[in-house]
Structure formats: C-alpha cells, structure tokens
Amino acid sequence: MLIDNIKFNEHGLVPAIVQDYKTGEVLMQAYMNKESLEKTLETGRSWFYSRSRKELWEKGATSGCIQTVKEISYDCDGDSLLLKVDQTGAACHTRNRSCFYRSLWKAEGIEEAVNIGEVVERLYDKVGDRRKNPVEGSYTCYLFEKGIDKICKKIGEESTEVVIAAKNESKEEAVYEISDLIYHLTVLMNYMGVTYEDIGIELMKRSR
C-alpha cells in the first residue's frame, strides 16, 4: 500500500501542506498521523492530528470550511505530504483565505505577485454571488437581468475595443480592454454554467 511509503517522524507525525487545487495558492500547514491520513483517504476530506489536544480533527467540522481532497502527493524523501483541495470558505481560523497572509520579508523592487488563476476564480465567485444575491445598482446584476442577448452584445463590443487597442499599439489600453472582455466572458460563463476549470481542461488538451 502506498501509505507505507510515508515516513512518519519519531512522534508518528508527518507535515502536510494544503494547496488550492485550482489556483495553486498555499492555504495552510498541519500535521497528520497514520490514522488521520487513513481517514482522509477514506472520507475524501482533510483530517489532521492536533499536537496540542492530542486528538484527530476534521478541517471544517465546526466552522463549515471543509476541504474536499482532490489529490495527495508525497515528496522525494517520503517525509512530507501535499494535499490539493477544494476549499470551502476560509482555510485559516482568522477567516483569512490562507494562513500565510502575513509577510515576513520581501526583496526590494519586487512587486506584489499576482496569481491570475486565483484572481479569475475570485472574480467568477463574485459574479456568481451577485447572481444568487442581487444588489441594487450592480452592473453584474443588470447583465444577468437583461439575459444572454445583452451579455453577448457586450462581449462583441469589448472584443472590438480589444482590437482597436491592439491597432493603436497601446499596451495600457489593451490591458484595460482585455480586462473588460475577461469580466464579460466571466459573466457569460457563469450564466451558462461554464467554469474556469472547464476552460483549463480544454486548454490542457490543446497543449499536448
């Protein structure tokens, strides 16, 4: 059994890094013993071992912020695990998305890193929330209210704006118009039930 390849330390534990399977964002780090790893494999949800309480605990059992496990890998030495999960809500008990929300040090001249996968997923979720919970005066709600014809019309208009920006050879203009286009495409995707994961799978097929 592959679990036998895991090298638990002298306390019977192995560190486990938890990562968002869609965006690659590192969410948290905890410890597992053999029993919690077995329960994770059995249930498909993250279980860990609390070193302070000396007991197993299921992530999200009280908060509702469960982690549905998509894949578990182990490193070359077999002494650490990587869990790729579908995170419901926040991973951190502080209600931050990730436990790694504080910066200790950053090299000079380094701009804030942008994870485009995380950005578009958050945009998709925000658009979906506007659809489920309409807000007065929201442009997104207006598009959903008007329906597919209006959404498609806007995509056509924004596509033309992107072409104009390209013809003007203006990077700043192109960035602005492409962002507008991606937003409207995201609205269309949400309207049709298409996810960025669906798009990613299709693009992966084309890159082989």
Side-chain angles (χ1 to χ4, degrees):
M1 189 173 179
L2 287 177
I3 197 171
D4 295 329
N5 294 328
I6 306 304
K7 298 176 183 176
F8 297 92
N9 65 18
E10 65 273 19
H11 304 294
L13 303 175
V14 60
I17 299 293
V18 182
Q19 182 182 42
D20 187 298
Y21 87 104
K22 293 180 181 177
T23 67
E25 180 184 17
V26 176
L27 300 174
M28 58 178 284
Q29 186 261 321
Y31 286 86
M32 288 181 152
N33 62 5
K34 187 174 183 180
E35 185 180 358
S36 66
L37 178 54
E38 287 174 339
K39 285 188 73 68
T40 298
L41 293 171
E42 176 187 344
T43 64
R45 298 188 303 274
S46 297
W47 282 79
F48 302 104
Y49 181 80
S50 171
R51 293 172 297 168
S52 58
R53 301 192 304 271
K54 309 296 183 186
E55 64 182 12
L56 300 184
W57 62 282
E58 179 187 3
K59 178 62 181 177
T62 56
S63 67
C65 298
I66 63 171
Q67 294 173 346
T68 303
V69 180
K70 300 295 185 177
E71 182 181 359
I72 302 177
S73 304
Y74 57 97
D75 74 343
C76 54
D77 294 321
D79 58 5
S80 60
L81 299 172
L82 175 64
L83 278 66
K84 295 184 179 181
V85 306
D86 184 5
Q87 175 70 52
T88 300
C92 184
H93 73 280
T94 63
R95 308 308 294 175
N96 284 283
R97 171 71 177 175
S98 168
C99 291
F100 298 95
Y101 61 91
R102 295 175 293 184
S103 177
L104 178 65
W105 179 84
K106 183 168 64 175
E108 292 184 10
I110 300 297
E111 296 183 1
E112 189 71 25
V114 176
N115 183 328
I116 187 61
E118 180 182 348
V119 171
V120 295
E121 285 291 346
R122 286 186 179 181
L123 174 61
Y124 188 91
D125 291 343
K126 185 71 172 181
V127 166
D129 182 67
R130 281 288 185 266
R131 188 179 187 185
K132 295 175 183 175
N133 306 292
V135 174
E136 186 176 354
S138 165
Y139 176 64
T140 303
C141 296
Y142 164 77
L143 290 174
F144 282 127
E145 181 182 342
K146 291 299 181 181
I148 189 70
D149 289 343
K150 182 64 175 180
I151 297 171
C152 289
K153 183 174 183 291
K154 289 300 299 182
I155 288 174
E157 292 173 359
E158 298 302 339
S159 298
T160 300
E161 294 294 333
V162 170
V163 172
I164 293 172
K167 294 290 286 183
N168 290 340
E169 298 186 3
S170 170
K171 179 180 178 180
E172 181 179 352
E173 187 180 347
V175 168
Y176 185 88
E177 299 300 346
I178 289 170
S179 298
D180 270 352
L181 178 58
I182 290 174
Y183 160 75
H184 285 91
L185 285 170
T186 302
V187 174
L188 176 66
M189 288 166 58
N190 202 288
Y191 188 92
M192 299 183 66
V194 176
T195 68
Y196 273 105
E197 185 177 4
D198 295 329
I199 302 301
I201 290 171
E202 178 60 28
L203 289 175
M204 284 295 293
K205 292 177 183 177
R206 301 185 187 193
S207 65
R208 290 172 184 164

Short mmCIF file of all heavy atoms in Angstrom, two decimals, residues 37-83:
data_model
loop_
_atom_site.label_atom_id
_atom_site.label_comp_id
_atom_site.label_asym_id
_atom_site.label_seq_id
_atom_site.Cartn_x
_atom_site.Cartn_y
_atom_site.Cartn_z
N LEU A 37 -4.44 10.29 8.20
CA LEU A 37 -4.23 10.12 6.77
C LEU A 37 -5.18 9.07 6.21
O LEU A 37 -5.77 9.24 5.14
CB LEU A 37 -2.77 9.71 6.49
CG LEU A 37 -2.40 9.46 5.03
CD1 LEU A 37 -2.76 10.64 4.13
CD2 LEU A 37 -0.91 9.13 4.92
N GLU A 38 -5.37 7.99 6.96
CA GLU A 38 -6.30 6.94 6.52
C GLU A 38 -7.74 7.48 6.46
O GLU A 38 -8.48 7.16 5.53
CB GLU A 38 -6.21 5.75 7.47
CG GLU A 38 -4.92 4.95 7.31
CD GLU A 38 -4.78 3.85 8.36
OE1 GLU A 38 -5.43 3.96 9.43
OE2 GLU A 38 -4.00 2.90 8.13
N LYS A 39 -8.12 8.31 7.45
CA LYS A 39 -9.47 8.87 7.45
C LYS A 39 -9.65 9.85 6.29
O LYS A 39 -10.73 9.95 5.71
CB LYS A 39 -9.76 9.57 8.78
CG LYS A 39 -10.02 8.61 9.93
CD LYS A 39 -10.49 9.34 11.18
CE LYS A 39 -11.90 9.84 11.06
NZ LYS A 39 -12.91 8.78 11.00
N THR A 40 -8.57 10.56 5.95
CA THR A 40 -8.62 11.47 4.80
C THR A 40 -8.85 10.68 3.52
O THR A 40 -9.68 11.05 2.68
CB THR A 40 -7.31 12.27 4.70
OG1 THR A 40 -7.14 13.07 5.88
CG2 THR A 40 -7.31 13.18 3.47
N LEU A 41 -8.12 9.58 3.36
CA LEU A 41 -8.28 8.74 2.18
C LEU A 41 -9.66 8.09 2.14
O LEU A 41 -10.26 7.93 1.07
CB LEU A 41 -7.20 7.65 2.18
CG LEU A 41 -5.75 8.14 2.00
CD1 LEU A 41 -4.77 6.99 2.25
CD2 LEU A 41 -5.54 8.72 0.61
N GLU A 42 -10.18 7.76 3.30
CA GLU A 42 -11.48 7.08 3.39
C GLU A 42 -12.65 8.03 3.10
O GLU A 42 -13.60 7.68 2.40
CB GLU A 42 -11.65 6.49 4.80
CG GLU A 42 -13.00 5.84 5.05
CD GLU A 42 -13.17 5.41 6.50
OE1 GLU A 42 -12.17 5.34 7.23
OE2 GLU A 42 -14.33 5.18 6.91
N THR A 43 -12.57 9.28 3.63
CA THR A 43 -13.69 10.21 3.54
C THR A 43 -13.58 11.20 2.38
O THR A 43 -14.59 11.78 1.96
CB THR A 43 -13.82 11.03 4.84
OG1 THR A 43 -12.65 11.85 5.00
CG2 THR A 43 -13.97 10.10 6.04
N GLY A 44 -12.35 11.42 1.89
CA GLY A 44 -12.16 12.42 0.84
C GLY A 44 -12.14 13.83 1.38
O GLY A 44 -12.16 14.80 0.62
N ARG A 45 -12.07 13.98 2.71
CA ARG A 45 -11.96 15.28 3.36
C ARG A 45 -10.72 15.30 4.24
O ARG A 45 -10.27 14.26 4.73
CB ARG A 45 -13.21 15.57 4.20
CG ARG A 45 -14.50 15.64 3.39
CD ARG A 45 -15.67 16.12 4.24
NE ARG A 45 -15.88 15.28 5.40
CZ ARG A 45 -16.61 14.16 5.41
NH1 ARG A 45 -17.18 13.74 4.30
NH2 ARG A 45 -16.76 13.46 6.51
N SER A 46 -10.20 16.50 4.50
CA SER A 46 -8.95 16.63 5.27
C SER A 46 -9.14 16.34 6.75
O SER A 46 -9.99 16.95 7.41
CB SER A 46 -8.38 18.04 5.12
OG SER A 46 -8.04 18.32 3.78
N TRP A 47 -8.34 15.42 7.25
CA TRP A 47 -8.26 15.13 8.68
C TRP A 47 -6.81 15.31 9.13
O TRP A 47 -5.89 14.93 8.40
CB TRP A 47 -8.69 13.69 8.98
CG TRP A 47 -10.17 13.48 8.98
CD1 TRP A 47 -10.97 13.33 7.88
CD2 TRP A 47 -11.03 13.36 10.12
NE1 TRP A 47 -12.27 13.13 8.25
CE2 TRP A 47 -12.34 13.15 9.61
CE3 TRP A 47 -10.83 13.43 11.48
CZ2 TRP A 47 -13.43 13.00 10.46
CZ3 TRP A 47 -11.92 13.27 12.33
CH2 TRP A 47 -13.20 13.06 11.82
N PHE A 48 -6.62 15.90 10.31
CA PHE A 48 -5.28 16.14 10.81
C PHE A 48 -5.17 15.67 12.25
O PHE A 48 -6.15 15.21 12.85
CB PHE A 48 -4.94 17.64 10.72
CG PHE A 48 -5.03 18.19 9.32
CD1 PHE A 48 -6.11 18.98 8.95
CD2 PHE A 48 -4.05 17.91 8.39
CE1 PHE A 48 -6.21 19.48 7.66
CE2 PHE A 48 -4.13 18.41 7.09
CZ PHE A 48 -5.21 19.20 6.73
N TYR A 49 -3.94 15.78 12.79
CA TYR A 49 -3.72 15.43 14.20
C TYR A 49 -3.28 16.68 14.94
O TYR A 49 -2.33 17.36 14.54
CB TYR A 49 -2.66 14.34 14.34
CG TYR A 49 -2.41 13.94 15.78
CD1 TYR A 49 -3.27 13.06 16.42
CD2 TYR A 49 -1.34 14.46 16.48
CE1 TYR A 49 -3.06 12.70 17.74
CE2 TYR A 49 -1.13 14.12 17.81
CZ TYR A 49 -1.99 13.23 18.43
OH TYR A 49 -1.78 12.88 19.75
N SER A 50 -3.98 17.00 16.02
CA SER A 50 -3.64 18.16 16.83
C SER A 50 -2.57 17.79 17.85
O SER A 50 -2.81 16.93 18.72
CB SER A 50 -4.88 18.69 17.55
OG SER A 50 -4.52 19.68 18.50
N ARG A 51 -1.42 18.43 17.76
CA ARG A 51 -0.33 18.13 18.70
C ARG A 51 -0.64 18.68 20.09
O ARG A 51 -0.16 18.14 21.09
CB ARG A 51 0.98 18.73 18.19
CG ARG A 51 1.49 18.07 16.92
CD ARG A 51 2.68 18.83 16.34
NE ARG A 51 2.29 20.18 15.93
CZ ARG A 51 3.16 21.13 15.61
NH1 ARG A 51 4.46 20.88 15.66
NH2 ARG A 51 2.72 22.33 15.25
N SER A 52 -1.43 19.75 20.17
CA SER A 52 -1.75 20.34 21.48
C SER A 52 -2.86 19.57 22.19
O SER A 52 -2.80 19.33 23.39
CB SER A 52 -2.15 21.81 21.31
OG SER A 52 -3.27 21.93 20.44
N ARG A 53 -3.89 19.16 21.41
CA ARG A 53 -5.02 18.45 22.02
C ARG A 53 -4.84 16.94 22.02
O ARG A 53 -5.62 16.21 22.64
CB ARG A 53 -6.32 18.81 21.29
CG ARG A 53 -6.66 20.29 21.30
CD ARG A 53 -8.10 20.53 20.81
NE ARG A 53 -8.32 19.95 19.49
CZ ARG A 53 -8.10 20.59 18.34
NH1 ARG A 53 -7.63 21.84 18.37
NH2 ARG A 53 -8.34 20.02 17.17
N LYS A 54 -3.85 16.48 21.27
CA LYS A 54 -3.56 15.04 21.19
C LYS A 54 -4.76 14.25 20.66
O LYS A 54 -5.14 13.22 21.21
CB LYS A 54 -3.17 14.46 22.57
CG LYS A 54 -2.09 15.22 23.28
CD LYS A 54 -0.77 15.18 22.55
CE LYS A 54 0.32 15.89 23.35
NZ LYS A 54 1.60 15.99 22.60
N GLU A 55 -5.35 14.78 19.59
CA GLU A 55 -6.51 14.10 19.02
C GLU A 55 -6.65 14.43 17.53
O GLU A 55 -6.08 15.41 17.04
CB GLU A 55 -7.78 14.53 19.75
CG GLU A 55 -8.12 16.00 19.60
CD GLU A 55 -9.37 16.39 20.37
OE1 GLU A 55 -9.84 15.59 21.20
OE2 GLU A 55 -9.88 17.51 20.12
N LEU A 56 -7.44 13.61 16.84
CA LEU A 56 -7.72 13.86 15.43
C LEU A 56 -8.73 14.99 15.31
O LEU A 56 -9.56 15.20 16.19
CB LEU A 56 -8.30 12.60 14.77
CG LEU A 56 -7.47 11.32 14.76
CD1 LEU A 56 -8.21 10.26 13.97
CD2 LEU A 56 -6.09 11.56 14.17
N TRP A 57 -8.65 15.72 14.21
CA TRP A 57 -9.66 16.74 13.93
C TRP A 57 -9.90 16.86 12.44
O TRP A 57 -8.98 16.74 11.64
CB TRP A 57 -9.28 18.09 14.53
CG TRP A 57 -8.01 18.71 14.00
CD1 TRP A 57 -6.75 18.36 14.33
CD2 TRP A 57 -7.91 19.80 13.05
NE1 TRP A 57 -5.84 19.16 13.66
CE2 TRP A 57 -6.52 20.04 12.87
CE3 TRP A 57 -8.84 20.57 12.37
CZ2 TRP A 57 -6.05 21.04 12.01
CZ3 TRP A 57 -8.37 21.56 11.50
CH2 TRP A 57 -6.99 21.79 11.35
N GLU A 58 -11.16 17.05 12.09
CA GLU A 58 -11.54 17.21 10.70
C GLU A 58 -11.61 18.69 10.38
O GLU A 58 -12.29 19.45 11.06
CB GLU A 58 -12.90 16.57 10.42
CG GLU A 58 -13.33 16.73 8.96
CD GLU A 58 -14.75 16.24 8.71
OE1 GLU A 58 -15.42 15.83 9.68
OE2 GLU A 58 -15.19 16.27 7.55
N LYS A 59 -10.92 19.10 9.33
CA LYS A 59 -10.95 20.50 8.93
C LYS A 59 -12.36 20.91 8.54
O LYS A 59 -12.99 20.29 7.70
CB LYS A 59 -10.00 20.72 7.75
CG LYS A 59 -9.99 22.14 7.21
CD LYS A 59 -9.50 23.13 8.25
CE LYS A 59 -9.51 24.55 7.70
NZ LYS A 59 -9.12 25.54 8.71
N GLY A 60 -12.87 21.97 9.20
CA GLY A 60 -14.19 22.49 8.87
C GLY A 60 -15.34 21.83 9.60
O GLY A 60 -16.49 22.18 9.36
N ALA A 61 -15.05 20.91 10.51
CA ALA A 61 -16.13 20.19 11.21
C ALA A 61 -17.00 21.15 12.02
O ALA A 61 -18.22 20.95 12.13
CB ALA A 61 -15.54 19.13 12.14
N THR A 62 -16.41 22.21 12.57
CA THR A 62 -17.19 23.17 13.36
C THR A 62 -17.46 24.46 12.58
O THR A 62 -18.51 25.07 12.73
CB THR A 62 -16.46 23.52 14.67
OG1 THR A 62 -15.13 24.00 14.37
CG2 THR A 62 -16.35 22.29 15.56
N SER A 63 -16.51 24.86 11.73
CA SER A 63 -16.65 26.13 11.00
C SER A 63 -17.41 26.00 9.70
O SER A 63 -17.92 26.98 9.16
CB SER A 63 -15.27 26.72 10.70
OG SER A 63 -14.56 25.89 9.77
N GLY A 64 -17.47 24.77 9.17
CA GLY A 64 -18.09 24.57 7.86
C GLY A 64 -17.12 24.76 6.71
O GLY A 64 -17.48 24.54 5.55
N CYS A 65 -15.90 25.18 7.01
CA CYS A 65 -14.89 25.43 5.97
C CYS A 65 -14.14 24.14 5.64
O CYS A 65 -12.93 24.02 5.88
CB CYS A 65 -13.93 26.52 6.43
SG CYS A 65 -14.71 28.11 6.72
N ILE A 66 -14.86 23.18 5.10
CA ILE A 66 -14.27 21.86 4.84
C ILE A 66 -13.33 21.90 3.64
O ILE A 66 -13.38 22.81 2.81
CB ILE A 66 -15.36 20.80 4.60
CG1 ILE A 66 -16.17 21.15 3.34
CG2 ILE A 66 -16.26 20.67 5.80
CD1 ILE A 66 -17.11 20.05 2.91
N GLN A 67 -12.49 20.90 3.58
CA GLN A 67 -11.57 20.74 2.45
C GLN A 67 -11.87 19.40 1.78
O GLN A 67 -11.67 18.35 2.37
CB GLN A 67 -10.11 20.77 2.92
CG GLN A 67 -9.70 22.11 3.47
CD GLN A 67 -8.32 22.10 4.10
OE1 GLN A 67 -7.74 21.03 4.35
NE2 GLN A 67 -7.77 23.27 4.36
N THR A 68 -12.34 19.47 0.54
CA THR A 68 -12.55 18.26 -0.24
C THR A 68 -11.26 17.94 -0.97
O THR A 68 -10.79 18.74 -1.79
CB THR A 68 -13.69 18.45 -1.26
OG1 THR A 68 -14.88 18.83 -0.56
CG2 THR A 68 -13.95 17.17 -2.04
N VAL A 69 -10.67 16.82 -0.66
CA VAL A 69 -9.34 16.48 -1.18
C VAL A 69 -9.43 15.97 -2.61
O VAL A 69 -10.23 15.07 -2.91
CB VAL A 69 -8.65 15.44 -0.27
CG1 VAL A 69 -7.27 15.09 -0.82
CG2 VAL A 69 -8.54 15.96 1.16
N LYS A 70 -8.62 16.54 -3.47
CA LYS A 70 -8.58 16.16 -4.88
C LYS A 70 -7.36 15.28 -5.19
O LYS A 70 -7.42 14.42 -6.06
CB LYS A 70 -8.55 17.40 -5.77
CG LYS A 70 -9.76 18.31 -5.62
CD LYS A 70 -11.03 17.63 -6.08
CE LYS A 70 -12.22 18.57 -6.04
NZ LYS A 70 -13.46 17.93 -6.55
N GLU A 71 -6.28 15.51 -4.47
CA GLU A 71 -5.04 14.73 -4.74
C GLU A 71 -4.12 14.83 -3.54
O GLU A 71 -4.07 15.86 -2.85
CB GLU A 71 -4.34 15.29 -5.98
CG GLU A 71 -3.08 14.54 -6.37
CD GLU A 71 -2.38 15.12 -7.60
OE1 GLU A 71 -2.90 16.13 -8.16
OE2 GLU A 71 -1.32 14.60 -7.99
N ILE A 72 -3.40 13.76 -3.25
CA ILE A 72 -2.38 13.76 -2.20
C ILE A 72 -1.07 13.26 -2.81
O ILE A 72 -1.03 12.20 -3.43
CB ILE A 72 -2.76 12.85 -1.02
CG1 ILE A 72 -4.10 13.29 -0.42
CG2 ILE A 72 -1.67 12.88 0.05
CD1 ILE A 72 -4.58 12.40 0.72
N SER A 73 -0.02 14.05 -2.64
CA SER A 73 1.31 13.66 -3.12
C SER A 73 2.27 13.61 -1.93
O SER A 73 2.00 14.19 -0.88
CB SER A 73 1.83 14.67 -4.15
OG SER A 73 0.93 14.82 -5.22
N TYR A 74 3.36 12.90 -2.11
CA TYR A 74 4.40 12.91 -1.07
C TYR A 74 5.74 13.22 -1.73
O TYR A 74 5.95 12.97 -2.92
CB TYR A 74 4.45 11.60 -0.29
CG TYR A 74 4.67 10.34 -1.09
CD1 TYR A 74 5.94 9.78 -1.23
CD2 TYR A 74 3.59 9.68 -1.70
CE1 TYR A 74 6.14 8.61 -1.94
CE2 TYR A 74 3.78 8.51 -2.42
CZ TYR A 74 5.05 7.98 -2.54
OH TYR A 74 5.25 6.82 -3.25
N ASP A 75 6.65 13.82 -0.96
CA ASP A 75 7.90 14.30 -1.54
C ASP A 75 8.89 13.16 -1.76
O ASP A 75 8.62 11.99 -1.46
CB ASP A 75 8.50 15.41 -0.69
CG ASP A 75 9.13 14.90 0.60
OD1 ASP A 75 8.82 13.76 1.01
OD2 ASP A 75 9.91 15.64 1.20
N CYS A 76 10.06 13.53 -2.31
CA CYS A 76 11.06 12.52 -2.70
C CYS A 76 11.57 11.69 -1.53
O CYS A 76 11.96 10.54 -1.70
CB CYS A 76 12.23 13.20 -3.42
SG CYS A 76 12.98 14.55 -2.46
N ASP A 77 11.55 12.27 -0.32
CA ASP A 77 12.01 11.54 0.86
C ASP A 77 10.88 10.82 1.58
O ASP A 77 11.12 10.06 2.51
CB ASP A 77 12.70 12.49 1.85
CG ASP A 77 13.99 13.06 1.29
OD1 ASP A 77 14.72 12.31 0.62
OD2 ASP A 77 14.26 14.26 1.51
N GLY A 78 9.66 11.12 1.16
CA GLY A 78 8.50 10.47 1.79
C GLY A 78 8.18 10.99 3.17
O GLY A 78 7.42 10.35 3.90
N ASP A 79 8.74 12.17 3.53
CA ASP A 79 8.52 12.67 4.89
C ASP A 79 7.70 13.96 4.94
O ASP A 79 7.72 14.67 5.95
CB ASP A 79 9.85 12.84 5.64
CG ASP A 79 10.80 13.79 4.92
OD1 ASP A 79 10.40 14.39 3.89
OD2 ASP A 79 11.95 13.93 5.38
N SER A 80 7.01 14.27 3.88
CA SER A 80 6.06 15.38 3.89
C SER A 80 5.00 15.16 2.82
O SER A 80 5.27 14.50 1.80
CB SER A 80 6.75 16.74 3.70
OG SER A 80 7.42 16.78 2.46
N LEU A 81 3.81 15.70 3.06
CA LEU A 81 2.68 15.49 2.17
C LEU A 81 2.21 16.81 1.56
O LEU A 81 2.38 17.88 2.16
CB LEU A 81 1.51 14.86 2.93
CG LEU A 81 1.74 13.49 3.55
CD1 LEU A 81 0.55 13.11 4.43
CD2 LEU A 81 1.98 12.44 2.49
N LEU A 82 1.62 16.71 0.39
CA LEU A 82 0.98 17.85 -0.26
C LEU A 82 -0.45 17.47 -0.60
O LEU A 82 -0.68 16.54 -1.37
CB LEU A 82 1.74 18.24 -1.55
CG LEU A 82 1.10 19.35 -2.39
CD1 LEU A 82 1.07 20.66 -1.61
CD2 LEU A 82 1.83 19.52 -3.71
N LEU A 83 -1.40 18.19 0.01
CA LEU A 83 -2.81 17.95 -0.26
C LEU A 83 -3.35 19.06 -1.16
O LEU A 83 -3.21 20.24 -0.84
CB LEU A 83 -3.63 17.95 1.04
CG LEU A 83 -3.66 16.67 1.87
CD1 LEU A 83 -2.30 16.36 2.46
CD2 LEU A 83 -4.70 16.81 2.98
#
